[in-house]
Amino acid sequence: MSIHMSMSILNKENENTQKANHLQTTISTSLSIYMRICTLPHKLKNHMHTKMALNITSVKTSSDGVWQGDNPFHYAFPLLIIQTTVIIFISRLLAFFLKPLRQPKVIAEILGGILLGPSALGKNHEFMLWIFPSWSTPILETVASLGLLFFLFLVGLELDLTSIRRSGKKALVIATAGILLPFLFGIGITFLLRKAISGADRVGYTQCFLFMGVSLSITAFPVLARILAELKLLTTPVGETAMAAAAFNDIAAWVLLALAVALASGSHQNPLASLWVLISGAGFVIFMVVVIRPTMNWVASRCSNHGKVEEGYICLTLAGVMLSGFMTDFIGIHSIFGAFVFGLMIPKNGEFSGRLIRRIEDFVCGLLLPLYFASSGLKTDVNKIEGVKAWGLLAVVITTACTGKILGTFLMGMACMIPMRESFALGLLMNTKGLVELIVLNIGKEKKVLNDEMFAILVMMALVTTFMTTPLVMAAYKPARNITATVHHRSLSESSSHHSQTLQSNLRVIACVHGPQISPSMTNLINLIQSPNTYSTLKLYILHLIELTEMSSSIAMVHRVRKNGVPCFTGNKGSEVGSKSNKVKVRKSTAISALATMHEDICHVAERKKATIIILPIHRPCQEGETGHCWEVVNRSVLMHAPCTVALMVDRGGFGVDCDRKRVCVVFVGGPDDREAVELGGRLAALPDTKVSLIRFVMKGKDNRHPEDVDIEKELDERLLEEFIRRWDGEAEYVEKSTHNMMEELLAIGKNEEFGLVIVGRGRFPATMVAGILEREAERSLELGVIGDLLAFSGGQEIASSVLVVQKHEQAKEDQERTMFDQHLV
């Protein structure tokens, strides 16, 4: 019995011992993991120098995780993710703060790179060890160089040599003068810097002079385009001349850069090496022109004929970009030169080039390119510019660069008979620097032509000259555009009056388009507006609206417009505006701007040309999250600020020039907009082959007006309707309908296939008139009005007719009527 009890006690003691040991092991393991996490920063600090001393090949790509004791900051890919996130956050934050100053995005990216470098945050040793250790520099620069390679391919893809040749001799001579004078000034600057900066004379004078000359004379073509667009100068004579001259300048800069790189490559070997580099580079260009260009023309034409771009052609083209870069690097010229030349070889017309741009521009320009600015900023140490002497050198370099570029362009502009004010503005615009400037300086630093102090001085010069361009041009040239100023608001009813006829015998119409062609319905409408017994001349201004985004493809659109002109009318027989019997004067123009400010261009043209009506195309309302191509904001702004009547057209193809349905229905409820719609319908009724039906809606048992408007508005409505019936009796149909709810009646009109076009007013009338319609989503009616929105975008309804929504501007009642309309939508 005692033995049994002893064995039982021993077993319990063993179990307790095992539990205690297990608990002790668990606690020890947890404490070990906790201590690893807590000592992670200390381990990083103690072992970072050892890691930095390792060869780059010993760096692993990814870690096993913090729970395995690995620090992700010691591994290439996790660190690259952190670096990219920090770079993009800093650059976007700076761009946000600089946007009110109208500075291009490149300024924020250059500043962001400098702030991350040894000039600011890089002074913190811990920050550099954690985020930008020296062992990670080759990895970051490799990814950044890949982005730069494809960006320069995009630049070459967007530069249309044919368009540049058509720019004329004026742009060529202005670009030449803007290059030669800074180059001559570069001789003195090179001599001064070599004498004043220690170690600058270790490189040959010729190599240093070439890099200095290119950096002083270059003009940043993409940056210039965005500055011009921001200042609304892109389609002005000054803007067009500046863009053409900058394109010439861009080509010359790449040729000079290739020459400078060739000479710098040969300086360390033998004099003949530079000659072989130049000969090989020329041979590469000839090969691209003779072999690659016809091949890419065949690929582009094949894609155009099939109507789609195959993935295989896209992949082969991207591989060709990298192979071209490898070839020029193999020759001894920088790899970006090969990518740029390959981009020039691709035809600019057709779907192929556009598809290429859409495929790579967002990824390259939005993600990879900021890495290049950061890698450049990590090499820029503004602290090297210390002392009065160094800052004096910076001031001399900036002054010389500005003087050479501005003076050379200004003098040649005056010689070309360009007015003094415009010539000075051209000089200021051509002084813009940017990414290409940084490329030149980075290559010069890689080739040991520029030391740290010279590099910092030239980077600051590029930053200052670009930053000063926008405010100086605004002060010296930017034309005043105050669309909110008091102007004379014109309308169709005013222009058709006898008094107007004695002063002006022509109708001025602005037709806005988004795509390469004007729709047949809009073409037919413009033809019909010109009533033969009312006007002797129709002046039509076709305004091509192009959205300018932050991406580089916007520059391709600028070139495409310059080469092809603005959209023309569809080429079907009989679709031309006017005829031999009707005098029609057509003027074409282009508005390239951000959507937020596009209405300023439209209203400015309308006021300057004294237009009677603006016709805007309407697309389906933007879905939630779609903002890039939402033209609704443009239309709303035009409706708010236009100095004349505005017509919004929803084209369903039922009112084209070759269509048999020439019946037009005018819906009348009451108010100034509906009266303007009736006026437009009367013009269409004057034509023998067009049948117009005017349908007036009267609500049963309700007054059609507020009490304060009965005497004035009702009298105006009745007078207009009486005049319409009297004038067009027998040629137009007048129908009056009494109803409790107009919604079903309006949908029946829209579904009626006999009507090719339905004209309605935007709707400044009492809410009681549209009680049935207001049960729908009233907030969607801000652009087209309640009735227009019903007919244009009725979900599930089979609306066959095109819709034209008309708004009349009356200066005296404009604010009051807009307030009334907004109240009725609530």
Side-chain angles (χ1 to χ4, degrees):
M1 185 70 178
S2 59
I3 296 175
H4 180 72
M5 291 178 64
S6 299
M7 292 295 295
S8 176
I9 293 172
L10 288 174
N11 291 335
K12 290 182 178 179
E13 289 180 353
N14 290 335
E15 290 179 1
N16 292 334
T17 303
Q18 291 178 359
K19 290 181 179 180
N21 292 337
H22 179 71
L23 178 62
Q24 182 178 3
T25 303
T26 303
I27 294 174
S28 299
T29 303
S30 301
L31 287 174
S32 176
I33 294 175
Y34 175 75
M35 291 300 295
R36 286 184 181 182
I37 296 175
C38 292
T39 59
L40 196 57
H42 302 285
K43 288 183 178 181
L44 173 65
K45 183 175 180 180
N46 295 333
H47 298 290
M48 182 61 71
H49 293 287
T50 304
K51 193 74 176 179
M52 291 165 57
L54 295 176
N55 189 283
I56 189 64
T57 57
S58 64
V59 177
K60 294 183 179 180
T61 302
S62 59
S63 68
D64 292 329
V66 67
W67 299 111
Q68 298 294 330
D70 287 348
N71 181 3
F73 288 88
H74 286 171
Y75 296 84
F77 188 62
L79 183 60
L80 180 64
I81 294 175
I82 296 298
Q83 290 173 340
T84 304
T85 304
V86 171
I87 291 168
I88 293 176
F89 175 77
I90 294 293
S91 62
R92 290 295 178 178
L93 184 64
L94 290 173
F96 173 78
F97 286 113
L98 290 175
K99 189 174 182 180
L101 301 177
R102 294 190 171 186
Q103 293 297 326
K105 190 177 67 171
V106 67
I107 293 291
E109 291 172 331
I110 295 176
L111 278 177
I114 293 176
L115 289 178
L116 291 172
S119 303
L121 295 176
K123 290 182 178 180
N124 190 320
H125 188 64
E126 295 294 329
F127 174 79
M128 294 301 291
L129 289 180
W130 273 85
I131 307 300
F132 295 104
S134 59
W135 61 265
S136 69
T137 301
I139 301 172
L140 179 63
E141 291 186 351
T142 300
V143 178
S145 298
L146 184 64
L148 183 65
L149 186 78
F150 281 101
F151 177 79
L152 267 298
F153 166 70
L154 285 175
V155 174
L157 184 61
E158 295 174 349
L159 276 177
D160 191 350
L161 297 179
T162 305
S163 177
I164 294 174
R165 287 197 299 266
R166 294 178 180 177
S167 299
K169 296 181 180 180
K170 182 187 297 185
L172 176 60
V173 296
I174 289 175
T176 303
I179 293 174
L180 288 180
L181 194 58
F183 245 94
L184 294 177
F185 284 5
I187 297 175
I189 289 294
T190 304
F191 179 80
L192 176 64
L193 293 180
R194 286 168 61 87
K195 292 293 184 182
I197 297 178
S198 176
D201 56 352
R202 296 177 183 176
V203 184
Y205 184 86
T206 303
Q207 291 86 355
C208 187
F209 159 67
L210 279 175
F211 275 98
M212 188 66 63
V214 173
S215 64
L216 293 180
S217 61
I218 206 167
T219 298
F221 179 78
V223 179
L224 174 63
R226 284 170 177 81
I227 291 177
L228 289 170
E230 183 70 26
L231 299 180
K232 304 296 182 183
L233 298 175
L234 196 55
T235 55
T236 63
V238 170
E240 292 177 355
T241 304
M243 287 290 291
F248 281 118
N249 193 299
D250 219 25
I251 298 295
W254 287 111
V255 175
L256 292 172
L257 178 60
L259 177 62
V261 172
L263 293 177
S265 300
S267 60
H268 302 292
Q269 305 295 332
N270 57 74
L272 290 178
S274 298
L275 179 62
W276 285 115
V277 171
L278 290 175
I279 294 175
S280 301
F284 171 78
V285 173
I286 293 173
F287 171 78
M288 297 295 286
V289 173
V290 174
V291 178
I292 301 300
R293 188 171 185 176
T295 303
M296 298 312 300
N297 285 334
W298 177 82
V299 171
S301 62
R302 184 177 177 85
C303 294
S304 298
N305 293 335
H306 290 178
K308 63 178 181 178
V309 180
E310 297 181 7
E311 293 294 326
Y313 292 133
I314 298 289
C315 295
L316 288 176
T317 302
L318 298 181
V321 175
M322 292 184 283
L323 287 176
S324 299
F326 171 78
M327 289 301 299
T328 50
D329 188 82
F330 180 80
I331 290 171
I333 308 176
H334 201 280
S335 58
I336 60 176
F337 183 76
F340 175 75
V341 174
F342 188 84
L344 289 176
M345 298 300 106
I346 296 180
K348 307 304 182 287
N349 298 327
E351 178 64 21
F352 184 66
S353 61
R355 182 74 175 273
L356 281 173
I357 292 174
R358 290 192 297 271
R359 279 297 184 89
I360 64 178
E361 68 167 348
D362 291 334
F363 181 70
V364 171
C365 299
L367 185 66
L368 297 183
L369 200 58
L371 301 184
Y372 185 80
F373 288 101
S375 65
S376 178
L378 292 174
K379 303 173 189 175
T380 306
D381 190 359
V382 180
N383 300 311
K384 295 289 184 180
I385 311 175
E386 56 182 356
V388 178
K389 180 181 177 181
W391 286 102
L393 287 175
L394 175 60
V396 171
V397 171
I398 293 175
T399 304
T400 305
C402 295
T403 303
K405 198 72 175 178
I406 296 173
L407 185 61
T409 305
F410 173 77
L411 293 177
M412 188 54 65
M414 293 292 292
C416 294
M417 306 304 293
I418 298 177
M420 181 183 297
R421 184 164 166 259
E422 296 184 3
S423 298
F424 183 62
L426 274 175
L428 293 174
L429 291 168
M430 295 297 290
N431 196 37
T432 305
K433 310 294 181 185
L435 175 63
V436 182
E437 172 84 4
L438 285 186
I439 294 173
V440 173
L441 298 180
N442 277 281
I443 294 176
K445 187 173 176 61
E446 290 176 6
K447 300 296 182 181
K448 308 299 182 183
V449 175
L450 305 175
N451 62 17
D452 291 342
E453 187 173 352
M454 293 178 67
F455 181 78
I457 288 175
L458 293 175
V459 169
M460 292 300 296
M461 180 270 293
L463 185 64
V464 172
T465 53
T466 305
F467 189 89
M468 62 188 284
T469 299
T470 299
L472 287 180
V473 173
M474 289 180 64
Y477 179 75
K478 185 175 185 286
R481 287 192 181 185
N482 187 7
I483 63 175
T484 61
T486 301
V487 294
H488 181 66
H489 291 78
R490 292 168 296 278
S491 64
L492 290 170
S493 55
E494 174 190 337
S495 63
S496 64
S497 66
H498 175 73
H499 176 68
S500 177
Q501 286 298 301
T502 60
L503 299 177
Q504 177 180 325
S505 61
N506 54 62
L507 177 67
R508 299 166 183 258
V509 178
I510 294 180
C512 299
V513 293
H514 300 158
Q517 288 187 337
I518 294 181
S519 65
S521 295
M522 185 177 290
T523 304
N524 193 31
L525 175 65
I526 295 170
N527 272 321
L528 298 179
I529 287 178
Q530 186 202 10
S531 178
N533 58 359
T534 310
Y535 290 99
S536 60
T537 303
L538 168 66
K539 288 189 176 181
L540 172 62
Y541 300 94
I542 306 173
L543 189 59
H544 187 191
L545 307 181
I546 297 180
E547 179 190 5
L548 185 75
T549 64
E550 293 183 352
M551 296 306 173
S552 56
S553 63
S554 303
I555 313 305
M557 288 191 292
V558 175
H559 275 297
R560 199 169 294 123
V561 169
R562 181 176 292 112
K563 178 180 179 182
N564 298 331
V566 297
C568 57
F569 292 99
T570 179
N572 295 334
K573 183 178 179 180
S575 62
E576 293 80 5
V577 175
S579 61
K580 295 181 180 180
S581 60
N582 294 331
K583 297 179 181 179
V584 179
K585 296 180 180 179
V586 180
R587 299 290 183 269
K588 301 176 181 180
S589 184
T590 306
I592 304 174
S593 181
L595 292 183
T597 58
M598 182 73 74
H599 69 281
E600 297 180 9
D601 292 344
I602 300 172
C603 296
H604 176 74
V605 173
E607 176 60 26
R608 184 163 53 91
K609 300 299 183 182
K610 301 186 184 303
T612 306
I613 183 172
I614 299 173
I615 304 177
L616 293 168
I618 290 291
H619 298 290
R620 183 167 295 277
C622 298
Q623 301 299 322
E624 183 177 356
E626 295 181 2
T627 58
H629 295 281
C630 184
W631 291 92
E632 184 178 357
V633 63
V634 179
N635 295 336
R636 289 188 187 181
S637 299
V638 172
L639 290 168
M640 182 74 67
H641 299 288
C644 60
T645 294
V646 179
L648 306 174
M649 186 164 194
V650 180
D651 185 11
R652 291 194 173 93
F655 197 60
V657 289
D658 295 330
C659 183
D660 296 332
R661 290 191 297 154
K662 292 295 180 66
R663 289 197 61 185
V664 177
C665 177
V666 180
V667 176
F668 184 85
V669 178
D673 294 341
D674 283 31
R675 291 196 294 270
E676 191 75 352
V678 172
E679 179 65 34
L680 179 58
R683 296 179 183 276
L684 304 184
L687 300 175
D689 57 345
T690 303
K691 181 66 173 178
V692 176
S693 297
L694 173 59
I695 302 178
R696 182 186 185 183
F697 285 95
V698 179
M699 298 298 293
K700 289 183 179 180
K702 294 183 180 180
D703 192 356
N704 291 345
R705 292 290 181 268
H706 288 303
E708 61 269 21
D709 293 330
V710 171
D711 294 336
I712 299 176
E713 291 295 320
K714 189 172 183 179
E715 180 180 353
L716 293 175
D717 292 346
E718 296 297 336
R719 185 185 304 172
L720 177 70
L721 293 175
E722 290 175 3
E723 175 64 21
F724 181 87
I725 295 172
R726 182 191 62 80
R727 187 173 183 181
W728 306 113
D729 184 25
E731 299 180 15
E733 178 186 10
Y734 174 76
V735 179
E736 188 170 302
K737 291 187 177 183
S738 297
T739 179
H740 289 290
N741 192 324
M742 288 191 300
M743 186 173 181
E744 294 182 1
E745 298 284 350
L746 290 171
L747 291 176
I749 292 174
K751 296 177 184 179
N752 191 343
E753 296 184 356
E754 294 183 1
F755 293 127
L757 178 67
V758 178
I759 303 177
V760 300
R762 185 164 177 253
R764 288 174 287 184
F765 39 71
T768 56
M769 294 296 300
V770 287
I773 305 176
L774 285 175
E775 297 172 0
R776 303 175 62 251
E777 299 178 7
E779 65 273 10
R780 290 180 51 199
S781 307
L782 293 178
E783 183 183 10
L784 296 177
V786 182
I787 296 178
D789 184 80
L790 174 70
L791 294 174
F793 305 116
S794 297
Q797 303 293 340
E798 299 176 356
I799 306 296
S801 305
S802 296
V803 181
L804 189 70
V805 181
V806 180
Q807 173 182 281
K808 176 187 178 182
H809 272 280
E810 292 182 279
Q811 186 175 3
K813 298 183 180 180
E814 181 181 0
D815 295 335
Q816 176 186 355
E817 289 171 343
R818 184 179 294 115
T819 303
M820 289 172 53
F821 179 68
D822 291 340
Q823 290 175 348
H824 298 150
L825 290 178
V826 177

